Amino acid sequence: MSSQKRSERAVTPMSEDVSGWYNDVVTRAELADRGPAKGTMVIRPYGYAIWELLQRQLDDRFKATGHVNAYFPLFIPESYLRREAEHVEGFAPELAVVTHAGGEELAEPLVVRPTSETIVGEMYAKWISSYRDLPILINLWNSVVRWELRPRMFLRTTEFLWQEGHTAHADEADAMAETLRMFDVYDEFARNVAAIPMVRGEKTPGERFAGAVRTFTIEGMMRDGKALQSGTSHYLGTNFARAFDITYQDRENELQHCHTTSWGLSARMIGATILAHGDDRGLVLPPRLAPHQVVVVPIGRGDQLDATTAEAQRLAAALRERDVRVLVDTRDQSPGFKFNDWELKGVPFRVELGPRDLEAGVAVLAQRVGDEDEDGRARKHPVPLAELAAGMPARLDAYHDALVARAQAFRDAHTAVVDDLDAFTAQVAHGFAVALHCGDPACEARIQETTRATPRCIPSEGDEESGPCVSCGGASAYGRRVVFARAY
RNA sequence: CGGGGUGUGGCGCAGCCAGGUAGCGCACCUGCUUUGGGAGCAGGGGGUCGCCGGUUCGAAUCCGGCCACCCCGACCA
């Protein structure tokens, strides 16, 4: 093939233009497409299959920790938002408001939910009256709308899919335990399902959720060294309980305010997966989020193709028996086309099955990443057909572990402790800077202005340390170092 | 909202400077040949040239205005 043809089909190299690369991968791998209205996107079947896998595995974890699902309305009376001062202030700029409906102006405008704390609070107030009603542990799978100035598919769209958990508890200890429990669930999920080792920690006051007392976050490092907030868990104290009268009578017959929590993880996690694992060939999917973990490509023509296709189907059946998601690609395309197509789509393992292989009783196995030759091409290994299916679950697990290790190594290589502003500025250009900070919001703002980096979190793991602020030289806050990075 | 860029078949582009009614590659359809890294040949379908107005015998092309989208900032899961 001519090199011209090739470059036309390949995605924009990541090294050249990360945004261009990202857009190419999302559209060419058929994960999503832009919707007609600004900031909207259509999640295509391949992308939605990833979402369904993510959703199911996360939902299992919610159920295992005692939560139940429910559905709350899309429309919220505007006045509800106003009841919690910080909450309104935080969300006012990105609200979509419905003022007309049924051909008439509404008596009270309705906001399209940007998040559901307020309407959940209103209903919880109605449902909770005794300590016997607590805790209440509800999760919502829905979409929310936040009017974004600069949309990017999966990372920041006007409407996005997510889940939001909302819980109410008798006291702070209970609510804090819940906040941290779900924080752990997110962290574990990110590592064990999305294969992304997260930096976990607490948000600084300036970065906290509007209306929260404490916010915990998992931050992933993308291949360009930028941070992506990938899940947050909030302890809301009694802020919403006081705003919405969520009260209960305790054993002593005293009226008490509930302590509430909320926690959310969105389809942005798909964006995180793309940006954390992808390469110049396209998408790299972790096996537990891959709609097809194995694709089998039968090769040959005429009767030979019939024979290899039949064998491919037998192999696929054996793989399915072991709960491997497998697809036999019987499209009327050349084998080379299929190899490239499935590499672009990030499928972990590819099996080639040709006449020569049938003869030898083997199949040719290649993996998407982690086993390349000098030219960067996936090595091909003949594997006895009889052993392929039985060994696949272990191979998938090993592949997952290798992705985690690779991402971890990348993150470590792009994270550095820095103690002066020059080193800080250089570091955030390509990774995370771990620095002492005074905690002054004005100082945070100055850092962002000059370096475009923001405090991502105060890491949960980390030695106690104090000293001069990396920026202003004032006394450090938090008793430990803060992770700074440019963020998506 | 500031700075940069782009609008021409589904996608990527040329044509515009020197106006004459649209072309290339990919994709698509049909047929034959092919199938171990993006197949070949032949035939074919598909475009109000972002929108509105102006100049002109005639506008994708020149002039004025508007709009949309993308990228980089400010806001954000």
Side-chain angles (χ1 to χ4, degrees):
Chain A
M1 286 311 95
S2 72
S3 60
Q4 196 180 1
K5 225 176 195 175
R6 239 176 215 210
S7 64
E8 205 169 273
R9 289 174 176 228
V11 297
T12 304
M14 201 172 359
S15 54
E16 201 173 279
D17 172 9
V18 178
S19 292
W21 171 85
Y22 181 82
N23 286 332
D24 281 356
V25 170
V26 169
T27 54
R28 304 270 307 278
E30 298 179 337
L31 298 178
D33 213 342
R34 274 174 231 292
K38 180 177 169 137
T40 62
M41 85 171 165
V42 176
I43 303 178
R44 301 182 65 178
Y46 193 59
Y48 201 78
I50 296 173
W51 175 244
E52 287 179 310
L53 287 163
L54 184 155
Q55 188 176 37
R56 190 187 317 148
Q57 292 172 88
L58 195 53
D59 197 62
D60 285 346
R61 285 161 168 79
F62 295 159
K63 300 285 167 55
T65 44
H67 301 85
V68 290
N69 287 329
Y71 189 81
F72 278 67
L74 171 69
F75 297 115
I76 301 175
E78 193 180 41
S79 58
Y80 281 30
L81 272 290
R82 281 202 269 274
R83 289 203 221 163
E84 213 289 332
E86 281 185 30
H87 194 66
V88 221
E89 205 188 315
F91 282 105
E94 36 186 0
L95 289 180
V97 184
V98 180
T99 56
H100 295 260
E104 286 181 26
E105 183 165 359
L106 298 172
E108 182 184 353
L110 299 170
V111 304
V112 181
R113 67 179 165 229
T115 180
S116 304
E117 273 76 7
T118 58
I119 193 161
V120 169
E122 172 78 7
M123 299 312 290
Y124 279 12
K126 204 167 154 179
W127 297 340
I128 298 167
S129 46
S130 154
Y131 68 91
R132 293 193 180 89
D133 297 325
L134 298 173
I136 180 160
L137 309 172
I138 292 181
N139 176 64
L140 319 176
W141 287 101
N142 59 23
S143 72
V144 290
V145 167
R146 300 179 186 178
W147 216 254
E148 295 292 350
L149 300 171
R150 235 188 100 192
R152 307 199 59 185
M153 287 189 287
F154 288 114
L155 300 176
R156 213 185 299 101
T157 48
T158 290
E159 178 192 7
F160 59 91
L161 293 176
W162 79 341
Q163 58 69 214
E164 43 177 325
H166 294 277
T167 70
H169 307 261
D171 56 38
E172 173 170 356
D174 244 32
M176 267 309 299
E178 167 75 6
T179 305
L180 294 173
R181 181 180 307 121
M182 301 323 286
F183 179 40
D184 285 343
V185 164
Y186 286 162
D187 186 33
E188 181 271 332
F189 172 83
R191 167 178 285 267
N192 290 332
V193 176
I196 305 174
M198 294 287 176
V199 175
R200 39 177 291 141
E202 183 167 359
K203 284 292 188 189
T204 61
E207 295 278 322
R208 229 178 248 151
F209 175 72
V213 176
R214 302 181 70 179
T215 289
F216 297 86
T217 178
I218 52 173
E219 301 278 332
M221 182 185 279
M222 307 297 101
R223 306 269 303 168
D224 58 358
K226 286 165 91 172
L228 182 71
Q229 178 176 310
S230 306
T232 49
S233 184
H234 317 287
Y235 169 59
L236 303 173
T238 54
N239 290 349
F240 286 88
R242 281 184 276 110
F244 288 90
D245 266 324
I246 314 173
T247 56
Y248 69 95
Q249 281 178 285
D250 65 17
R251 286 177 170 80
E252 279 75 46
N253 203 29
E254 298 278 333
L255 210 55
Q256 304 283 356
H257 280 114
C258 287
H259 291 249
T260 64
T261 82
S262 69
W263 26 276
L265 186 146
S266 74
R268 171 182 268 191
M269 185 59 91
I270 295 174
T273 303
I274 298 165
L275 277 163
H277 300 304
D279 61 22
D280 282 351
R281 303 178 82 82
L283 198 59
V284 172
L285 287 175
R288 287 158 207 163
L289 288 181
H292 314 302
Q293 296 170 311
V294 178
V295 165
V296 186
V297 179
I299 297 163
R301 59 196 169 101
D303 292 346
Q304 288 186 322
L305 185 58
D306 292 342
T308 55
T309 300
E311 189 56 42
Q313 298 292 7
R314 277 193 289 277
L315 176 61
L319 284 164
R320 286 191 193 101
E321 264 173 44
R322 290 170 171 84
D323 295 322
V324 175
R325 291 185 290 276
V326 57
L327 177 83
V328 177
D329 188 352
T330 55
R331 287 178 297 175
D332 183 22
Q333 297 283 358
S334 74
F337 177 91
K338 294 176 183 177
F339 299 164
N340 285 99
D341 190 45
W342 293 117
E343 279 168 9
L344 169 65
K345 288 181 174 158
V347 173
F349 287 94
R350 178 183 75 237
V351 174
E352 303 170 21
L353 202 51
R356 294 205 299 272
D357 304 317
L358 276 196
E359 197 90 8
V362 300
V364 172
L365 182 68
Q367 63 188 58
R368 176 65 177 78
V369 292
D371 183 30
E372 291 89 1
D373 62 22
E374 306 74 37
D375 301 328
R377 182 161 281 184
R379 284 202 175 82
K380 301 189 180 193
H381 303 281
V383 176
L385 264 172
E387 295 167 20
L388 218 165
M392 192 50 74
R395 286 184 197 275
L396 287 166
D397 287 344
Y399 185 85
H400 172 92
D401 292 344
L403 281 188
V404 175
R406 192 175 79 138
Q408 177 90 51
F410 181 87
R411 195 187 85 193
D412 292 348
H414 293 261
T415 301
V417 171
V418 295
D419 286 314
D420 66 82
L421 203 53
D422 285 345
F424 181 100
T425 306
Q427 180 59 28
V428 296
H430 66 271
F432 291 0
V434 188
L436 290 167
H437 188 259
C438 62
D440 178 6
C443 184
E444 275 185 17
R446 253 194 323 278
I447 289 176
Q448 177 166 10
E449 234 170 82
T450 56
T451 70
R452 290 198 284 142
T454 50
R456 302 319 302 157
C457 69
I458 306 151
S460 306
E461 290 85 26
D463 298 327
E464 301 217 345
E465 198 175 336
S466 52
C469 169
V470 70
S471 177
C472 69
S476 68
Y478 316 122
R480 59 180 54 187
R481 283 178 182 269
V482 179
V483 174
F484 284 84
R486 290 181 186 166
Y488 274 97

